[in-house]
Amino acid sequence: MIYALCIVLFLLGLYGVLVKKNLIKIIISLAMMNNAINLFFILLAYRKNGVVPILSFLQPNANLYETAVDPLPQALVLTSVVIGLGVTALMVALAIRLYYVYGTFDITKMRKLRG
Amino acid sequence: MGLLPLFVAIPLFSALLLGFIEHKKGIMHTLVMLTTSALVILAFATPLQRGFYFVGGHHPFVGITLMLDPLNRLLLIVVQILVFVASWYSIGYMEQYTAKSRYFSFVFLMLAGMNGIVITADFFNLYVYMEIATIASYALVAYGGKAHELEASFKYLVLGSISSLFILLGIALIYSQTAALNMMVVAQRLDVTNPITWLIITVFAAGFGLKSALFPFHSWLPDAHSSAPAPVSAILSGVLIKVVGIYVLLRFFYNIIGVDQAPLTLIAWLGALSSLVGVLLAMGQHDFKRLLACHSVSQVGYIFIGIGLGTPLGLIGALLHIVNHSAFKSLLFLSAGSVEYATGERNFHSMGGLAKVMPWTNAASFIGFTSIGGVPPLNGFWSKLILIIACVSSGQWILGLIIVVVAIMTLTLFPKIQKYVFLGDLPSKFRNVKESPWSMILPMLVLCFFCIVLGALVVVPVLRETYFLPAVQALLSGKWLGVFQNAP
C-alpha cells in the first residue's frame, strides 16, 4: 500500500512536469519525482522494529542479520540525493539564464526552436 | 583486467587537471591529445576474452564489478576513437568560444561517464555513470549560452531527468525483487513470470527509449543535438545515445532478462516508426545541423529494428549500424561545423558554390553523404543490406520494406543538400570565405577513412572473427549464468 503511495507521488511529479508552464514549477515537480523514488528506496530497506545496521565489537548482536534494516538502499539514496542536487542546481542555473534572455519563466513564450 | 578502471580514471583526472591550466593553451592541447590517444591505445590493448575486475577486491555480491567482453570492447574502441577525433577537431573549432579548458573538462567528464556505462556490471553504478555522462552533456548543449541553446538544454535536461528517474525506479524495483544490483546475480534471480518483472521491463524500455530517442520520445533530440557545438553534436549523435540508450537495452534484453519475443517485436515496430518519422522530419528542415539531428532519429530506428528482430543476422546488422552510424553521422556533423566555422551560416538555402573555396570539406561531406545514403562499397551500404536481408529472412517483409523506403528517402535527401551547399554559384557575401584550418580537416579525413573501410568489419574474415562475431556471440549466448572467474 505504502509503496503504491510512492508511485502516486512519482506520477504526480510527472503530471507537474508535463502540464505546468512555469520553469520553477517544472523544477519543483522533478524534485518531487526524485524524492518519491528516494522514499521508495528507503521503504524497501525498512523493517518493522529493525535495529541500526552497525556491526559493533563492544555490544555484539548475534542476530543482527535477522533484525537490522538493510543498509545498502540508504547508501544508494545518499548518492541519488547528491546527483539530484547537481541536476537541480544545473536546472536552476539554466532557468536564471533563460529568465535573463526572455524576461519570463513561461515556457510557452520560449519558442526559438520549432519543428 | 587491471586496465579497466583506467578508462574511467584517466579522463576524470584529465578533466580535473584541465581546470588548472586554463590560460596555457599549448599545454592544454597537448594534454587533451595525449589523454585521448592514450585511451585509444588502451582500448586496443584490452584482452579479447571475457573478464572481470572487482573494485576494491570485494566479492561481487558486495562490491562493484567491472566487466569486459567482446561487445563492450567493440563499443569502448568506438567511443575512444570518436572522442579522440572530436577533441582533435575541437582544438581548432572551439577557438570561436571562450573558456576552452572548461569545454574539454566537460568532454572528458562525458567520456568518463560513457566508458563507465560500457564497462560496469552493476546497476546502481550504471545509473551514477549515466548521470555523469548526461549532466556533462546538458552543460555542453548549453555551451554557447545563446537563447536557443539554453532552451534546447533545458528541454533536454527535463526529459533526460525524467528518463533517469524512470531508470532509477526500475533499479529500485530490481533491488526489491532480487536483493542484488550485480547484473549477473540479477540475471539469475529475476523471475520472468512475475508481473513485477514486466513492470521493470516497461520502466526500463521507457527510460532507455527516452535516452536513445526511440519514436514516441524523440522530440528532444533534434533540438539538443543541433544546438550543441559541432564536435559535441558528433559525440552526442555518434556515441552517447548509443552507449546510454541502445547498449544498455541490448544488455538488459539479451543478457539479463533473456530473449523474449513479445517486447522485442514491439521494439522493432517502434524502431520502424522512428526511422520513418525521423527521415520525414529531416526532409522538412532547412538548417544543416538540425537536419542531421533529425536523421539520427531514423538511424536509431534502424538499429532498433535489428535489435527487435532478435535473429543473429539482425543483431549483426544492428551492431554494424551502431559502428557505422557513429562514423558517418559524426563526419557529417563535423563537416557541417566546418561550413559553419567558415561562413557563420547554417541555413543551406542561403549557401552555394562552397566547393570552390572549401575543397576538403566538400570532399569530406561528399563521402559522408554517399556513405549515409548507402552507396556501395562504403560502410552504410553493408549495414543496411544486412538489416534488409535479416528482415526478409525472418519473414518480416513489412519491416524490410520500411528500411528500403527510408534508405531511398535518405539517398534522395542528401545529394540535395550537397547541391545546395557546395555546388552552384558562390554568393558574393562568401567571396572571402577560407577553408577551415588543418586541425579541423585532418580529423574529418580520419573519419572519411573509417567510412570507406568499415564495411571490412563484416567482409574481411579476420576482422569479422576478431572484433565482430564475438560481440554478437556475447549477446546471443543468452542469460548470464553467474560465472565469476577468480572472484575474491
Side-chain angles (χ1 to χ4, degrees), chain B residues 376-394:
Chain B
L378 294 159
N379 61 357
F381 167 74
W382 298 104
S383 50
K384 288 180 187 182
L385 182 71
I386 292 173
L387 280 172
I388 293 168
I389 294 172
C391 284
V392 172
S393 67
S394 61

Side-chain angles (χ1 to χ4, degrees), chain A residues 34 38 41 75-85, chain B residues 124 127 168:
Chain A
N34 201 346
N38 291 346
F41 256 121
L76 302 185
V77 164
L78 209 56
T79 318
S80 144
V81 163
V82 174
I83 292 173
L85 172 77
Chain B
F124 198 77
Y127 171 73
L168 190 59

Side-chain angles (χ1 to χ4, degrees), chain A residues 7 10 14 17 23 26 30 33-34 37 40-41 44 70 72-73 76 79-80 83 87 90-91 94 97-98 101-102 110-115, chain B residues 124 127-128 131 135 138 142 145 147-148 150-154 157-158 161-162 165-166 168-169 171-173 175-176 181 223 227 281 285 290:
Chain A
I7 305 292
F10 182 80
L14 189 60
V17 174
L23 288 185
I26 291 176
L30 271 172
M33 287 169 78
N34 201 346
I37 295 178
F40 185 62
F41 256 121
L44 287 181
D70 187 353
L72 185 64
L76 302 185
T79 318
S80 144
I83 292 173
V87 173
L90 184 58
M91 254 193 284
L94 278 177
R97 289 293 296 271
L98 279 170
V101 176
Y102 288 98
M110 302 171 187
R111 34 180 73 240
K112 281 264 168 64
L113 296 167
R114 305 260 54 204
Chain B
F124 198 77
Y127 171 73
V128 173
E131 289 295 277
I135 290 175
Y138 306 144
H148 68 99
L150 295 170
E151 198 183 323
S153 176
F154 195 83
L157 179 45
V158 169
S161 306
I162 291 177
L165 290 171
F166 268 110
L168 190 59
L169 179 65
I171 294 169
L173 288 169
Y175 188 74
S176 76
L181 289 168
D223 296 342
S227 299
L281 271 178
Q285 302 300 327
R290 201 174 166 80

Side-chain angles (χ1 to χ4, degrees), chain B residues 165-242:
Chain B
L165 290 171
F166 268 110
I167 293 161
L168 190 59
L169 179 65
I171 294 169
L173 288 169
I174 284 179
Y175 188 74
S176 76
Q177 290 303 299
T178 62
L181 289 168
N182 188 305
M183 289 182 187
M184 280 107 198
V185 183
V186 169
Q188 289 166 58
R189 291 192 191 164
L190 208 59
D191 176 16
V192 187
T193 53
N194 191 331
I196 298 284
T197 307
W198 288 92
L199 185 60
I200 295 170
I201 293 176
T202 319
V203 166
F204 265 29
F208 291 113
L210 237 169
K211 289 258 190 246
S212 54
L214 193 58
F215 161 60
F217 317 115
H218 63 278
S219 64
W220 59 269
L221 188 138
D223 296 342
H225 288 198
S226 62
S227 299
V232 176
S233 312
I235 300 177
L236 290 181
S237 256
V239 285
L240 188 84
I241 49 172
K242 305 194 180 80

